Amino acid sequence: MRSGGALWDHGAMEHSRQTVSSGSPLEPRIGFSRAVRKGAHVVVAGTAPIGDDGNTVGQDDVHAQTVRCLDVAESALKAAGASLQDVVRTRVMLTDVSRWREAAQAHGERFASVRPAATFVEVSRFIDPDWLVEVEIDAIVDQAGEP
C-alpha cells in the first residue's frame, strides 16, 4: 500500500493476539481475559485473591491476599510467555490504603530486583466485599521471546 510516498508493509506490523484464561466463570460472562498478549506486550487484568476452590484467600489479611493475586498474575504471565522479569508496571488497588505496607511487602518479595513502575491506590470496593486488594500487571517481553 502506498501512502504519502512511503511504502507500508502492514503484514510486518501485525502481531498475533493471544488470550489467557484463568478458568474464572466471570471471564465469559463479563467478556474479559485474565491476560492478553499482543506482540511483545502482555497485560494482566485485575487479579483478585481467589483460591483454586473459588473462595477468597486470606480473610482480612492484605499480605496473604496480595500474594495470591501475584500468584494468579504470575501464572497468567507464564501462560503468555512472559515472566516477572518482564514486568514494567504494576497497579495495586486496596480498599483501605492505610494498609499499603502489607501489600507492599508482598510486592517487594516478588519485585525487589525487577523494580517496575508501581502504583498503590485506594478504591471504594471490589465485586466481592471480602477482597481487600486486586493487582494489575503490564509486561513487555524481549522480542526474541515473541510467540
Side-chain angles (χ1 to χ4, degrees):
M1 174 178 194
R2 194 159 180 84
S3 174
L7 288 176
W8 293 92
D9 181 359
H10 290 282
M13 293 172 58
E14 291 182 32
H15 296 284
S16 62
R17 178 185 168 98
Q18 175 189 2
T19 59
V20 174
S21 173
S22 65
S24 166
L26 293 177
E27 289 176 24
R29 285 179 38 200
I30 295 173
F32 81 99
S33 297
R34 172 60 39 222
V36 175
R37 179 171 180 168
K38 179 92 170 157
H41 297 266
V42 179
V43 292
V44 180
T47 57
I50 303 171
D52 293 335
D53 62 0
N55 294 316
T56 300
V57 170
Q59 284 289 12
D60 201 38
D61 185 337
V62 171
H63 180 268
Q65 287 194 11
T66 306
V67 166
R68 178 58 186 168
C69 292
L70 293 169
D71 288 345
V72 172
E74 185 175 8
S75 292
L77 285 170
K78 287 180 182 175
S83 73
L84 293 179
Q85 295 299 313
D86 299 311
V87 173
V88 296
R89 183 178 209 21
T90 60
R91 291 170 205 83
V92 179
M93 297 161 281
L94 299 148
T95 56
D96 180 357
V97 77
S98 72
R99 297 181 70 180
W100 71 270
R101 285 177 180 83
E102 297 166 68
Q105 179 186 351
H107 189 278
E109 291 164 2
R110 301 285 173 101
F111 294 112
S113 65
V114 179
R115 297 188 55 191
T119 303
F120 288 71
V121 298
E122 183 173 272
V123 298
S124 61
R125 62 184 173 186
F126 295 114
I127 293 171
D128 185 320
D130 290 334
W131 302 346
L132 306 174
V133 63
E134 280 196 24
V135 176
E136 291 181 343
I137 291 181
D138 298 334
I140 300 175
V141 181
D142 181 346
Q143 294 291 356
E146 190 170 293

